[in-house]
Amino acid sequence: MTVYRALKEDNLELARERVSRIVGRDTRDLDEEEIVRATIETISESTVDGIISPLFYAVLGGAPLAMAYKAVNTLDSMVGYKSEKYLQFGWFSAKLDDMVNYIPARISIVLIPIASLIVRQRGLMALKIIFRDGKKSPSPNAGIPEAGFAGALGIQLGGINFYQGVKEYRPILGEKLKKKSPKDILKAIWLSCTVSMLMFLSGLAILNYYW
């Protein structure tokens, strides 16, 4: 929301500074569309590793397992980079993070299209783009929610990113039905909240059934 507010005020410098707090890429030269893209990509990925996954492990093993998952996820965020500095040190945490997010990411295949329909976005398109583009990402998990959000919003995600000055290409996900705008950030947040509520209610239903 802080990124969205900065964009609504036409303050690109402030928006770049704020988006730099939630993404790993270089943000100094991003234009409005790229700021929107970066924000939506992190919202979609965080919907899995920040919400679905902790709830999934909380259902399986309560708070201890959910906290153990977050420890793995945080370690990956700290050192799980394919850089010269961290390649040998962080590979294990990166691979472990891929493993623990594998099932939750696949759960999102169901939740994102349903949530899209609930909030009157493109549910069928979300499902289509997940199956068409979800495996394009170098990450075995991140591409699934990103593709789902791209389909639901009718936009394209992916493209060229810079990390510490090094250019990297991410596969294009989705179809460009319209130009990305700051309002898409709000739509992505609302979609993420709806996915979160669906996961929460599903977890409660499962616990109630087995208890």
Side-chain angles (χ1 to χ4, degrees):
M1 285 301 299
T2 60
V3 177
Y4 168 76
R5 293 189 189 105
L7 290 175
K8 289 296 290 181
E9 296 167 2
D10 294 320
N11 192 334
L12 280 182
E13 284 300 318
L14 181 59
R16 289 170 184 144
E17 189 275 327
R18 288 177 173 176
V19 79
S20 71
R21 304 175 189 175
I22 58 173
V23 300
R25 73 196 68 177
D26 300 341
T27 62
R28 183 179 57 188
D29 299 319
L30 298 184
D31 61 17
E32 181 179 273
E33 272 204 85
E34 286 300 299
I35 292 171
V36 171
R37 175 170 78 89
T39 305
I40 293 174
E41 285 175 354
T42 198
I43 290 171
S44 61
E45 187 173 354
S46 296
T47 299
V48 171
D49 60 25
I51 301 170
I52 295 177
S53 291
L55 287 172
F56 175 75
Y57 287 104
V59 169
L60 286 183
L65 195 58
M67 292 172 68
Y69 163 76
K70 287 306 296 180
V72 171
N73 186 244
T74 301
L75 184 62
D76 175 62
S77 299
M78 293 172 62
V79 298
Y81 295 102
K82 291 182 179 179
S83 64
E84 184 177 349
K85 181 178 181 180
Y86 291 117
L87 184 61
Q88 298 300 322
F89 183 69
W91 72 269
F92 179 76
S93 60
K95 293 299 182 183
L96 186 59
D97 185 73
D98 286 344
M99 291 174 58
V100 296
N101 280 307
Y102 187 86
I103 295 176
R106 273 74 195 163
I107 292 175
S108 75
I109 295 175
V110 177
L111 296 184
I112 292 174
I114 294 175
S116 300
L117 292 173
I118 292 174
V119 297
R120 296 184 179 181
Q121 294 177 14
R122 300 170 177 84
L124 294 179
M125 179 64 75
L127 189 63
K128 172 188 173 182
I129 299 301
I130 286 173
F131 282 104
R132 193 190 73 183
D133 297 343
K135 294 181 180 179
K136 291 181 179 180
S137 173
S139 166
N141 303 317
I144 294 174
E146 287 184 7
F149 273 62
L153 298 174
I155 60 175
Q156 286 185 329
L157 299 177
I160 296 174
N161 297 336
F162 286 88
Y163 297 90
Q164 298 179 349
V166 179
K167 183 178 180 180
E168 293 188 17
Y169 176 78
R170 294 290 185 268
I172 299 297
L173 310 176
E175 296 181 5
K176 188 176 181 179
L177 303 182
K178 62 185 182 67
K179 182 179 179 180
K180 291 185 283 289
S181 72
K183 287 185 178 180
D184 290 317
I185 295 176
L186 294 182
K187 293 178 181 179
I189 292 171
W190 186 231
L191 178 57
S192 178
C193 289
T194 307
V195 171
S196 305
M197 185 56 64
L198 288 175
M199 183 64 189
F200 178 70
L201 294 175
S202 298
L204 284 181
I206 292 171
L207 289 175
N208 183 64
Y209 178 81
Y210 283 104
W211 283 5

